[in-house]
Amino acid sequence: SIRVVWGRVRALLSDQRGFLVLVFLTALGLRLFYTTRVMTNPDFLLTGPDGDAYDGLAWAMAHGTTDPRWSIPMFAPGYVRFLALLYRLFGRNYFAVCAVQSVIGALSCLVLYAVAKRLFGIRAARIASAFGVVNFLMVFSAAAIGHQAMDLFWTLLVMWCLLCYLDAPARW
């Protein structure tokens, strides 16, 4: 019955581990679903602002060749290397790239939870992570070829490390 199902949902949501699993799986599912929808567009690489440029640079790097665009100073070299590594592992498979970025985006929701819990408490952490799950910019970034998918994750991870340092500086 509905009461039994609702009782199980409430039990899952009241358990921190169950809540975080639900956040991760929902975030991953939304990002992968959106990726499959965006990839039906023949101009998929133009989804991100510099998608075609990152693609070309990473493809050249994955094959050990140079590309004249390396002289452009504003490209995120770490993202190009990340993309080149994925191309070496999976070939020029855009879905694999977006799937890895979707996992990173779902992990961002968990790190957001950890940071918000430390700073504002568990209720704020739950709300923040739930908003992170459905935040369109976070979902969109996972489905676009561009460094934006990594930016939030690394920023939150640095914040979390700094908060851990404040808790126990001797351990660091």
Side-chain angles (χ1 to χ4, degrees):
S1 85
I2 293 177
R3 286 186 181 196
V4 172
V5 171
W6 180 245
R8 289 183 181 166
V9 169
R10 286 187 65 138
L12 176 70
L13 292 176
S14 66
D15 175 50
Q16 179 175 324
R17 188 171 291 164
F19 176 79
L20 292 176
V21 167
L22 184 64
V23 162
F24 179 81
L25 292 177
T26 306
L28 181 62
L30 280 174
R31 283 151 179 76
L32 290 174
F33 174 75
Y34 184 73
T35 295
T36 59
R37 300 300 303 151
V38 168
M39 290 186 97
T40 61
N41 183 339
D43 292 327
F44 166 72
L45 274 180
L46 302 177
T47 302
D50 298 317
D52 58 340
Y54 280 121
D55 176 61
L57 289 167
W59 189 245
M61 180 181 269
H63 287 86
T65 60
T66 59
D67 190 303
R69 290 176 286 190
W70 278 112
S71 62
I72 300 171
M74 296 305 290
F75 281 116
Y79 182 75
V80 174
R81 286 173 173 76
F82 165 76
L83 196 55
L85 173 67
L86 294 179
Y87 284 169
R88 295 274 278 169
L89 294 174
F90 303 112
R92 205 173 204 170
N93 184 338
Y94 300 125
F95 182 77
V97 170
C98 293
V100 170
Q101 290 182 168
S102 293
V103 170
I104 292 168
L107 289 172
S108 294
C109 294
L110 300 182
V111 181
L112 176 61
Y113 176 89
V115 169
K117 182 180 175 189
R118 167 68 170 77
L119 291 175
F120 305 109
I122 195 162
R123 180 172 286 168
R126 285 175 172 248
I127 293 169
S129 62
F131 276 116
V133 167
V134 297
N135 180 287
F136 180 73
L137 186 56
M138 291 173 69
V139 173
F140 176 83
S141 295
I145 305 296
H147 63 87
Q148 293 81 2
M150 309 294 286
D151 292 348
L152 181 64
F153 175 74
W154 289 117
T155 301
L156 287 169
L157 196 60
V158 166
M159 287 180 63
W160 182 75
C161 288
L162 290 171
L163 292 171
C164 289
Y165 173 78
L166 290 175
D167 286 343
R171 287 183 30 203
W172 289 78

